[in-house]
Amino acid sequence: MSLAWGDVPAPVRATLAEGVVIPAHPLALDAERRLDEERQRALSRYYIDAGAGGLAVGVHTTQFAIREAGLYEPVLKLAAETADAWTDRPLVRIAGLVGRTEQALAEADIALGLGYHAGMVSLAAFAGASEDERLEHCARLAERIPLVGFYLQPAVGGVVLGPTFWRRLAALENVVAIKIAPFNRYRTLDVVRGVVDAGAEDRVTLYTGNDDHILLDLVTPWRLMRDSEAVTVRIKGGLLGHWSVWVKRAVELLENAHAAAEAGAIDPDFLALDSQITDCNAALFDVANDFRGCIAGCHEVLRRQGLMRGIWCLDPEEGLSPGQAAEIDRVSAAYPHLIDDDFVRANLARWLA
């Protein structure tokens, strides 16, 4: 089985190219660390009703350990079935693909069988490999499934990738998007430069995963030179762990960012949200402790809203860091305009039904 991007339904392709909110889907567990299907389904319904344009499942926020736990296919299947039953809107379904080539190809086959439209490739298993080896891996995956490149920050297992890698990746015909998440401005620029150098800016849609600079990524006109001519590129949307919470506000933020880009003017009050969002992210992602509580921090917000029963992760040692809950308290009180508790409260019973 294989899928070319041109064979994906046109409304789905248009949605990805437009730039949308794509939450990185968390994993809802019960106290025995088994899949909580009721809460997992409720999360998907929440994202859809909040206006998300897609779901990314089996990615870092879903916990890479779902593979060893035998949950990769069940979790992807549950998200796909929930989306089918809940909405007729075109949603982009992206499956995380990890491991060496044979494992990633097997995961691509599972995703395709469940109706996913693209796979997002993690290169964490290729630490120490050559650029050619990494690109060969991506090329083989792109023959099987439309591919989303992924620059994962090294602090949580990613590898450093230079502009020549991104130029060569963007040149692959079935590469359709890149999630830029190195949490580093120089490395973010490497991705944009690579896409421009490949002449792929009209085919490869850029998504931010830089949780430390979400708003600035979305409103910046990235203007680079190619053959003595200026090329302006926009990061169109976000595929973010941060956007697994407070999603209604994230959708509004992206709409306002698109409007500002189209108008060519940014209100200073809107721009000021960037530092506030980054402050929230520092609490959610446990920056003070080198991101150790980044998944549990998102779980804690969802637990407080009633969407999750607890913050359990597959690894019993993974949880909130000392002081992290107090930091979430602080940012929640400081920035109520970034919080969607009222929206969740009004709809929670329906999502859990």
Side-chain angles (χ1 to χ4, degrees), residues 55-71:
L55 299 173
V57 191
V59 295
H60 175 254
T61 305
T62 323
Q63 302 176 54
F64 290 140
I66 59 172
R67 280 91 180 161
E68 291 74 22
L71 291 175

Side-chain angles (χ1 to χ4, degrees), residues 101-295:
T101 304
E102 292 310 314
Q103 177 183 338
L105 286 171
E107 292 185 358
D109 286 341
I110 290 170
L112 288 173
L114 294 172
Y116 281 72
H117 306 115
M120 187 167 75
V121 57
S122 168
L123 293 173
F126 285 80
S130 69
E131 183 174 288
D132 285 346
E133 289 175 303
R134 292 166 180 162
L135 283 160
E136 173 61 24
H137 173 71
C138 293
R140 288 192 61 189
L141 288 175
E143 291 173 356
R144 189 73 55 89
I145 190 171
L147 205 62
V148 177
F150 181 19
Y151 203 163
L152 176 65
Q153 62 156 321
V156 291
V159 296
V160 177
L161 302 161
T164 59
F165 171 86
W166 295 109
R167 174 180 56 79
R168 295 172 68 189
L169 181 77
L172 297 174
E173 185 176 350
N174 214 26
V175 170
V176 298
I178 297 172
K179 171 182 173 174
I180 310 173
F183 289 31
N184 181 299
R185 305 315 283 165
Y186 299 108
R187 292 171 184 166
T188 295
L189 188 59
D190 283 344
V191 180
V192 180
R193 177 182 157 196
V195 171
V196 170
D197 286 349
E201 65 274 6
D202 292 331
R203 176 174 52 81
V204 177
T205 306
L206 298 180
Y207 275 70
T208 183
N210 284 323
D211 301 74
D212 60 339
H213 266 299
I214 297 170
L215 182 56
L216 284 184
D217 272 0
L218 294 169
V219 299
T220 297
W222 301 80
R223 187 165 295 138
L224 302 179
M225 302 304 294
R226 183 177 64 216
D227 299 329
S228 301
E229 292 188 6
V231 178
T232 300
V233 176
R234 292 277 183 179
I235 295 177
K236 295 290 188 66
L239 198 170
L240 295 148
H242 184 119
W243 282 358
S244 69
V245 303
W246 302 328
V247 182
K248 185 70 171 175
R249 300 288 89 84
V251 170
E252 294 167 0
L253 178 83
L254 182 59
E255 290 172 350
N256 290 335
H258 283 173
E262 186 173 345
I266 303 173
D267 187 305
D269 288 338
F270 180 58
L271 195 59
L273 293 176
D274 182 72
S275 59
Q276 298 179 359
I277 294 166
T278 302
D279 195 14
C280 289
N281 186 261
L284 294 175
F285 271 39
D286 194 26
V287 174
N289 296 287
D290 296 324
F291 305 98
R292 280 195 293 272
C294 62
I295 293 175

Side-chain angles (χ1 to χ4, degrees), residues 29 45 77 122 196 280 294 339 351:
L29 299 175
R45 291 170 174 173
K77 182 178 181 182
S122 168
V196 170
C280 289
C294 62
I339 310 303
W351 298 330

